[in-house]
Structure formats: structure tokens, C-alpha cells
Amino acid sequence: MPKREISIAFQTDKRAADYIALAKLVNDYAFDAVTVYCDAPYQPSFGPLLLMAPHIERARIGPAGIPPSRMHPLDIAAGTALLADVARAGTYLGLVRGGWLADHGIRELKPPLAAMRESITIIRKLLAGESAGMKGRVFQIAEHARAPYPLPGGRIPLQIGTWGKMMAALAGELADEVKIGGSANPALIPWMAEQIAQGEARAKRPPGTVKIVIGAVSVVDDDRDAARFAARKAVALYLPIVSQLDPTNPPQSPHQDGGKLSLREGEGSPEPELLERIAALVAAGDSDGAARLVPDDILDRFAFAGNAADIIQQCERLFDAGAQRIELGTPHGVADSTHGIRLIGGRVLPALASYFM
């Protein structure tokens, strides 16, 4: 069995001292990678990563993921080179198409596949010390454009975050990893592998060259019910969006379960009526009410939630389905993140040790 990995991810909404404290905490445990997000309007990734890097000795670090629509590839390459200079166990670069940027007045680069392909070309050429000159469909870079800063000592692994068929196939051609964000659904992994394989074949890369990473909201606590309710509140914020992206379970008819719309096991995705009710409650500021509408089966498909034993079982199912890395995301704990991180590091990681060999 190939070696599997666990990483931990943080939202970029903290003070400088908090990033340093979290870096010191995760360094006490055997995490393989530490990630920060790059969601607008939160802080961009590189500042928090540069604060964390000196305190992380064993895990590689990187962003997941940066939209080239928000940060120009010239700047992404420069930030990556600087991060590589201080990352003690290595770094990686995560890129995403960058959905929902229009909500903040940021125009998404189009066509998206060309924008991603050209971004990768520019970044890789700069980091290799080559001219990044380009007259592309999306980017026009001067012929004399070269990195004027110290370059990384080796190739930086590239991750593309996506749920889409065409972007996954592009990752099969060009990337090292594909990240499925906002999911804990084992059924999604073989489907994604099929999409990636098309790109691997086009580029004449061996099947399985590109690793699959899957991650979502995680809440871990000895109080299982409290952890699952906290996760429901977090999932309710993005469930109406990500549930429609999952191609593995088409919508089916719901049934009544104690007055709550639910789904029988394996029947499919949440019904539009349920999603509309959740979205309306979130918009009205009733996060508790929205959380109470999220059924158990849907929660387990879109989050990691419960006590340590629950998280271990979820990770085992994902590894057995073919995930190479599982990323446990914010908020980690009920009251504060540190208790959840200690449970993950102290209980979950040791229980999964057989997958890490």
C-alpha cells in the first residue's frame, strides 16, 4: 500500500502571534503538511505562511489555493520563491480557478483552462530561472521577464484545486496533486481519478502520477454531539454550493425524519428545497437553525466531525478509497482550535500509523 499523508489547514483570519503559536503546536505532531487558505476577503496566503515557516520543522507548507485572478502569476512565483527559502521541510504551491471572486468585484480570468495553463507555465519558468515571456490568450508577459530574486533549490510541487472534469484533466497533464476541497466523500475519489487519468494519458504520464488530496471542515472533541453540531454550523455556510458540485450522487427525493428533511443512506445529494431552507437561515443569521437542518449522512459527506474515533473511521474510508492525502481544515475544535489539533495529533495520527508507512 502506498504511503498516505495527513495535513492540517488554517483559514487566514488571525493575528501574527496566533500563526506562530499554531505553527509551534502542529510541529509537536507528525503532520505531513500544513496549509493555509487564500479565500477572499481573508488575508492572502504568503504572509501567514512566512510567519509559520520558521517554527515548522517536519511538515512541508503551502497555500491551497491561490486564484491567479486574485494574485498575478508573477507575484505567485515571487512569493513561492521566498517561502521556499525559509520553509524548513519544503513547500508546495496550490492554485485554484477562484470561484466567487465576483462577489468582491474581482473579475475571473477567462477562459479558465487557458488562464490556469498559462499561469502554471509562467510560474514554473520563473522559478526555473527561465524567461517567462508570453503572448498568450490570457497573459502578456514581457520577453525579458526573469526572476530577479533567489530561486528555489529544486522543483516546487504543484497542486490544482478543483471539482471539475476539465480542470482535473488539465491537472493530470501538469500537476502533482489535485485537491478536492469541501468534501469527505469516499465515492468522489475514484470519479476524480478517472478525470485525472484522461490528462495523464494525453501527457503520456503513468497512471496515478497525480495524487488526490481531499479535505474539508473538521471539528473534533471528546463531546461528540458538540463537535458534530459545530461542524453542522460550519458546513451550512457552504453546503448549498459544494453539494451541487459533487457529481457522484444526483439529487433524489427526500423523506421526512422527525420533521427534518433527510436522505436514506446512499440515495443522493440534498434536495434543492433543503438547500434553499439552509441558505435562507444562514442569510438571516440563524446559524443554529441552519445547522439543525443538516442530516447526519450529509454532514459525513462534507465534513470531518465527531470524536477521535469518528475522524479515524472517516480517514480510513477515504484512504481505502484511494486518497493519498487527507487535509483536516478549520476550525478543528469546538471552543478553540488547539484542543482539536491536540486530539488529531495525539489520537488520530497514531491510530492511522499503518497508512503512513
Side-chain angles (χ1 to χ4, degrees), residues 6 18 43 89 96 153 162 185 240 274 317 331:
I6 293 280
D18 296 329
Q43 299 156 350
V96 294
T162 187
N185 181 8
L274 173 60
R317 288 193 291 269

Side-chain angles (χ1 to χ4, degrees), residues 31-346:
F31 291 104
D32 295 285
V34 177
T35 294
V36 303
Y37 303 129
C38 193
D39 302 327
Y42 295 93
Q43 299 156 350
S45 299
F46 288 120
L49 286 166
L50 289 167
L51 289 167
M52 300 177 83
H55 309 284
I56 297 175
E57 299 173 350
R58 66 176 90 185
R60 65 188 181 277
I61 61 176
I66 301 174
S69 300
R70 185 183 184 194
M71 184 179 294
H72 196 282
L74 294 174
D75 296 323
I76 296 173
T80 300
L82 185 60
L83 181 61
D85 198 43
V86 295
R88 302 174 70 177
T91 187
Y92 75 93
L93 172 62
L95 299 176
V96 294
R97 174 178 172 177
W100 313 298
L101 292 174
D103 293 348
H104 310 293
I106 301 172
R107 181 176 298 175
E108 183 178 327
L109 297 172
K110 293 183 178 180
L113 290 176
M116 182 63 75
R117 186 183 291 275
E118 292 178 15
S119 295
I120 292 169
T121 299
I122 294 165
I123 293 165
R124 282 192 164 153
K125 285 188 172 183
L126 287 169
L127 293 178
E130 302 172 7
S131 168
M134 175 181 292
K135 293 182 180 178
R137 295 180 66 187
V138 180
F139 293 103
Q140 289 73 47
I141 307 294
E143 284 297 325
H144 62 270
R146 293 179 182 269
Y149 40 76
L151 298 174
R155 181 178 177 278
I156 303 296
L158 175 71
Q159 176 191 102
I160 293 178
T162 187
W163 290 69
K165 290 183 177 182
M166 291 188 291
M167 194 65 76
L170 180 67
E173 292 184 49
L174 301 176
D176 299 283
E177 294 180 333
V178 166
K179 165 75 181 293
I180 309 168
S183 179
N185 181 8
L188 191 54
I189 295 169
W191 179 89
M192 183 60 75
E194 291 179 5
Q195 316 316 312
I196 294 169
Q198 296 180 37
E200 290 172 331
R202 284 202 301 262
K204 296 181 169 54
R205 304 174 84 184
T209 294
V210 178
K211 299 177 180 179
I212 296 178
V213 182
I214 190 164
V217 158
S218 60
V219 185
V220 194
D221 197 90
D222 293 320
D223 185 337
R224 183 177 188 272
D225 291 340
R228 290 181 68 80
F229 189 74
R232 280 185 169 88
K233 291 176 69 172
V235 166
L237 298 174
Y238 65 82
L239 180 62
I241 297 169
V242 297
S243 64
Q244 298 178 66
L245 299 175
D246 191 328
T248 64
N249 291 293
Q252 302 291 333
S253 298
H255 70 281
Q256 292 292 327
D257 179 13
K260 176 170 66 178
L261 283 174
S262 185
L263 295 159
R264 301 188 193 281
E265 186 174 356
E267 279 193 348
S269 302
E271 186 72 8
E273 179 187 347
L274 173 60
L275 298 176
E276 291 171 6
R277 290 169 61 188
I278 291 172
L281 289 169
V282 168
D286 186 1
S287 59
D288 286 358
R292 284 190 285 269
L293 290 180
V294 178
D296 281 335
D297 55 341
I298 298 300
L299 177 65
D300 290 336
R301 196 177 302 168
F302 293 100
F304 299 86
N307 56 30
D310 292 314
I311 308 305
I312 292 164
Q313 290 173 7
Q314 285 187 279
C315 289
E316 288 174 337
R317 288 193 291 269
L318 290 165
F319 281 145
D320 292 342
Q324 279 89 14
R325 177 156 62 89
I326 296 170
E327 188 152 274
L328 301 174
T330 297
H332 306 120
V334 175
D336 67 89
S337 61
T338 58
H339 182 61
I341 293 168
R342 290 190 179 99
L343 287 174
I344 295 167

